[in-house]
Amino acid sequence: MSTRVAVVTGSNKGIGLAIVQALCKQFQGDVYLTARDVGRGQEAVNSLASDGLKAMFHQLDINDLNSITTAAAFFKDKYGGVDVLINNAGIAFKVADTAPFAVQAEVTLKTNFFATRDMLTHFLPLIKAGGRVVNVSSFVGVRTLNLCSPALQQRFRSEDITEEELVGLMERFVEEAKRGEHKQGGWPDTAYGMSKTGLTTLSMIQARRLSKERPNDGILLNACCPGWVRTDMAGPKAPKSPDEGAITPVYLALLPPGTTEPHGKFVSDKEVQVW
Ligand code: NAP
């Protein structure tokens, strides 16, 4: 049997690095720490090595389609696919950032929604039978969903929303934000929140599609919240350590063979949450 492999995006620091660390201890197979910057990635691999943990490295910038396809080809060639994919890479503007909302909407959605979707487009076909896919979303996405207009909420929660419709909605949010019309369009004032509402909805859509198209492959795909975690993104006042933030993503990544649930859910503190 070929070596099993786990891939974590944006894992040179923060929650991603803690996820890699936990997988190095618990996953039977090769664990790939990936980063957009080779120097920062290798430094992180070296810091794990000094703790006796062996992570492998591959460059992966989710905003760069060429980087995504190069990495996908590498994992296909070397491992025949991927067993565990954790889409952790993400960005957030600081609350104090003075960049206009239009810019924040475009830039945040670009990475957290559209680039993560690109990752899924190119990596989902590589996920092996029994594979696990975890999208690191946020509880902020649930709060944001509840602030959308009733019509938008209905679409995000519906069982029949397609990926195309969702992409259209996310594009509409960015366009309306650029015109300063997003509030009239029924959208709340949070770019990060909308990016995570979109990512959780995308996870539910793709899980339904996997169940339909690969019913016998036993792949589980979920979105999750790591909690409020002390990282460069969330700052020093957050209650959870990065190791604690890694617990739910790692739990979903290591759901034992034969498990059928959760799938297509939003999970926090290892519990399925109301969407
Ligand atoms: P972080 O410390 O800022 O780390 C973010 C990671 O993502 C970094 O490694 C960063 O790389 C990487 N990244 C950003 N853009 C990338 C790209 N285009 N391609 C590849 N990697 C990229 O943040 P964190 O708190 O660990 O967040 C990790 C995930 O958890 C994010 O999706 C975040 O939204 C989510 N989350 C965090 C919290 C929290 O309280 N911290 C709560 C809920 C959800 P560089 O070092 O190169 O910038």
Side-chain angles (χ1 to χ4, degrees):
M1 213 169 86
S2 60
T3 307
R4 299 179 75 235
V5 64
V7 181
V8 187
T9 67
S11 49
N12 52 291
K13 66 176 185 178
I15 297 163
L17 178 57
I19 292 171
V20 167
Q21 195 168 12
L23 288 178
C24 282
K25 295 175 186 164
Q26 298 174 51
F27 177 74
Q28 301 292 315
D30 290 348
V31 180
Y32 275 77
L33 184 155
T34 71
R36 55 179 159 183
D37 181 89
V38 173
R40 286 197 288 276
Q42 267 162 356
E43 206 176 299
V45 168
N46 293 342
S47 81
L48 292 175
S50 66
D51 292 335
L53 298 174
K54 184 170 174 273
M56 328 273 270
F57 177 71
H58 203 285
Q59 193 275 346
L60 184 46
D61 179 348
I62 68 165
N63 282 345
D64 175 357
L65 210 47
N66 189 44
S67 173
I68 292 180
T69 54
T70 302
F74 168 82
F75 289 110
K76 186 162 194 236
D77 286 355
K78 182 158 180 185
Y79 297 93
V82 169
D83 296 282
V84 168
L85 171 66
I86 302 191
N87 283 306
N88 163 79
I91 60 159
F93 281 79
K94 298 285 178 217
V95 176
D97 200 305
T98 54
F101 187 72
V103 172
Q104 299 204 16
E106 181 160 38
V107 172
T108 309
L109 272 277
K110 166 78 191 121
T111 296
N112 294 3
F113 180 76
F114 292 105
T116 304
R117 174 177 177 246
D118 288 338
M119 271 299 296
L120 289 159
T121 302
H122 290 276
F123 274 74
L124 271 192
L126 301 185
I127 301 298
K128 294 185 188 174
R132 306 285 180 250
V133 180
V134 183
N135 295 327
V136 181
S137 189
S138 172
F139 59 90
V140 176
V142 181
R143 221 161 53 201
T144 302
L145 172 66
N146 291 319
L147 294 172
C148 288
S149 68
L152 285 170
Q153 287 189 40
Q154 192 277 331
R155 291 319 297 148
F156 286 123
R157 290 197 174 101
S158 73
E159 297 264 323
D160 63 2
I161 184 171
T162 62
E163 188 167 330
E164 291 64 35
E165 181 183 353
L166 174 65
V167 167
L169 286 172
M170 293 291 106
E171 286 170 348
R172 200 180 98 196
F173 168 67
V174 174
E175 286 312 312
E176 293 185 356
K178 282 183 177 169
R179 293 201 301 270
E181 292 169 3
H182 60 283
K183 281 191 206 157
Q184 295 96 299
W187 307 98
D189 245 342
T190 157
Y192 179 78
M194 271 329 303
S195 74
K196 296 299 192 182
T197 304
L199 179 57
T200 300
T201 307
L202 180 65
S203 309
M204 293 173 173
I205 292 169
Q206 294 193 333
R208 283 193 287 267
R209 206 167 63 212
L210 276 173
S211 302
K212 203 166 150 210
E213 293 176 2
R214 298 177 64 182
N216 301 318
D217 280 356
I219 298 170
L220 299 177
L221 182 156
N222 290 287
C224 71
C225 180
W228 187 21
V229 182
R230 287 187 297 281
T231 61
D232 287 350
M233 180 183 287
K237 290 189 185 143
K240 282 190 180 179
S241 68
D243 287 347
E244 290 167 330
I247 289 173
T248 293
V250 169
Y251 153 75
L252 292 171
L254 299 180
L255 286 167
T259 308
T260 54
E261 285 288 331
H263 176 54
K265 298 290 192 286
F266 176 68
V267 180
S268 186
D269 287 328
K270 296 193 189 177
E271 297 285 343
V272 172
Q273 305 296 311
V274 176
W275 177 242

